[in-house]
Each structure stands twice: as structure tokens, then as C-alpha cells.
Amino acid sequence: MVRALPPLPTTLRPTLDGARRTPRSPAEVWAARQWINDMAPRLARYVPDADRRQTLLTRIHQEASLAGLPPALVLSVIQVESAFRAEAVSSAGAVGLMQIMPFWIRELGLPADDLKDPIRNLRYGCTILAHYLAVEDGDLTRALARYNGSLGKTWYPERVMRALSRRWTPAAPGLPERLTADR
């Protein structure tokens, strides 16, 4: 028997609307290109095709920025969730790069949305993670645990943070060493 879900939290709509209003300056465009160039060789292990890798990194940076998330955090979540396999489906039914549960389509999208589409999946995943960061007042550990469905446990946030520190922490000078979220 399928159980009805609670209504969409009122905090989620402002997160979505706010993300759409932010223009990008030339300095932000330059910083994005530098970040993509720094991350491309690190992602080659998971995504060998250079064009696909460039496209994916560009989109990750765009979606993370729209949601007010550090792009390196999104890379870390994807590594832990799906190892960058867009077609991944978990035993619980989570789908795609960021392992989105299909019920989110009813909450955020349209019935035709394909969660295996990397672009659509990134939009959902970044929006959901930004929402949980807002709900948890910026507490990344709790937000990551909520994202994974393991609130109250730390094993998942620890895995994401380990991936972040070992593989995705930006090396370029001038980029923040400490992870922060704009929420």
C-alpha cells in the first residue's frame, strides 16, 4: 500500500526561486573555468570521455552554484551515491547520479521527468541538498544525513566528507579551503 507524502515544505520554494535570480559576473565565469580545469583530471577515473567529462563538470558547477552549494560537495555526493553512473538505481529505488528517490518528481517536477538524465538529476539533487541545508540551518552533517535518509547517523556524511577531502577539494589558490554553504 502506498502512503501519502506530507505536503512540500514551504522552505523549498524560496530556495528554488532564489537560485534563478543570481546573475554571473566575469570573475565568477573565470573561477568556474578554473574549477572545471582543476577537476577534469580528477574525474577522468570515473568519466574517461573528455567531452562528457567537460559537459558534466560544467553542469555540476552551474547547478551547484544555482543552489548555493560548493560544486566540490556535489562531486563528493555523486561519487558516494553512484560513482558517476547516470543509469544507477539503488536497491531502495533511488535513481541516477545523485540517487534521487522518484517521489521527488511529484514534489518538484513533472511526471515526464527522467531521473536518469544527468541534467535533470543534478537539478533535483542540488535543490534537495540545498533544501536540507536550509532546514538544518547550515548543519552539513545533518543535511547530508537527511539527503541519504539516515538522519541521526554519521556514516554517510563521513563518507561524503572523506571523498571531498581526498579527491575534490580544489587546489587552485584563492579558493576557500573551508567548505561553506550559502544557506
Side-chain angles (χ1 to χ4, degrees):
M1 180 165 198
V2 176
R3 190 173 48 159
L5 295 171
L8 183 65
T10 56
T11 57
L12 189 52
R13 186 55 55 191
T15 301
L16 289 169
D17 294 339
R20 293 189 184 113
R21 287 187 233 120
T22 310
R24 294 180 58 180
S25 70
E28 289 171 322
V29 172
W30 181 86
R33 288 183 184 149
Q34 295 298 351
W35 181 84
I36 291 166
N37 289 338
D38 186 21
M39 295 299 124
R42 302 171 195 218
L43 186 57
R45 168 183 178 188
Y46 296 100
V47 183
D49 180 79
D51 290 336
R52 185 170 168 260
R53 189 169 53 245
Q54 182 80 13
T55 301
L56 183 60
L57 284 168
T58 299
R59 196 55 181 220
I60 288 169
H61 195 280
Q62 289 170 344
E63 294 299 334
S65 297
L66 280 172
L69 299 170
L73 175 63
V74 175
L75 282 169
S76 303
V77 168
I78 295 169
Q79 178 186 333
V80 170
E81 288 287 350
S82 70
F84 296 90
R85 292 177 319 212
E87 300 291 321
V89 178
S90 76
S91 60
V95 178
L97 290 173
M98 294 188 75
Q99 292 291 279
I100 307 303
M101 291 298 289
F103 75 81
W104 281 106
I105 291 173
R106 286 193 313 272
E107 302 298 330
L108 297 175
L110 302 169
D113 283 350
D114 178 7
L115 294 176
K116 290 183 180 177
D117 172 20
I119 293 169
R120 183 65 50 204
N121 193 278
L122 287 168
R123 173 68 50 96
Y124 274 85
C126 290
T127 301
I128 294 163
L129 185 53
H131 166 67
Y132 286 144
L133 268 170
V135 166
E136 294 297 341
D137 291 325
D139 184 326
L140 187 57
T141 299
R142 289 184 58 85
L144 286 169
R146 272 189 188 273
Y147 184 87
N148 176 256
S150 60
L151 186 60
K153 299 177 183 166
T154 62
W155 63 268
Y156 177 79
E158 289 169 0
R159 284 185 66 196
V160 171
M161 296 311 288
R162 195 168 31 255
L164 178 66
S165 68
R166 289 183 180 167
R167 181 167 289 278
W168 307 114
T169 299
L175 293 176
E177 292 180 20
R178 187 169 181 277
L179 180 66
T180 59
D182 292 343
R183 301 269 174 247

